[in-house]
Amino acid sequence: MKRILLTIFVLFQASIFADVNVAYKGCISCHGINGEKVALGKSKIIKDMSKESFINAMKGYKDGTYGGPLKGMMKAQSMRLSDTDIEAIAEKIAK
């Protein structure tokens, strides 16, 4: 029974996230599946950011020139992303 429930859960989760960019999956828990959440009650809603603003913010987090109260956490998150990943996430949230 546990195996069946686990299989159903995995398949359900896979169907929900099928259209989500792989690089963006790490952002979902704080920012929401469509970038609609205020992360930890402090961030901007990223779906409202322009593609250029998002890219500049992510590059700023990486090099330490951007950010507010969550700067340290976002630096760690952004360091795992390549410029191609950042561009792909920006495309996803700009839609």
Side-chain angles (χ1 to χ4, degrees), residues 23-24 26-27 31 46 49-67 70-71 73-83 85-90 93:
Y24 184 73
C27 310
H31 292 284
I46 61 174
M49 296 174 76
S50 70
K51 181 180 173 182
E52 182 179 278
S53 293
F54 179 82
I55 291 170
N56 289 337
M58 292 304 291
K59 288 182 177 183
Y61 280 127
K62 283 179 89 168
D63 68 19
T65 61
Y66 182 88
L70 301 176
K71 185 176 186 173
M73 182 181 350
M74 283 304 300
K75 180 171 180 72
Q77 293 297 316
S78 64
M79 293 304 289
R80 68 179 175 80
L81 300 172
S82 68
D83 288 346
D85 292 334
I86 292 170
E87 180 81 24
I89 293 169
I93 64 168

Side-chain angles (χ1 to χ4, degrees), residues 5 20 62 64 75 92:
L5 291 175
V20 175
K62 283 179 89 168
K75 180 171 180 72
K92 185 234 180 307

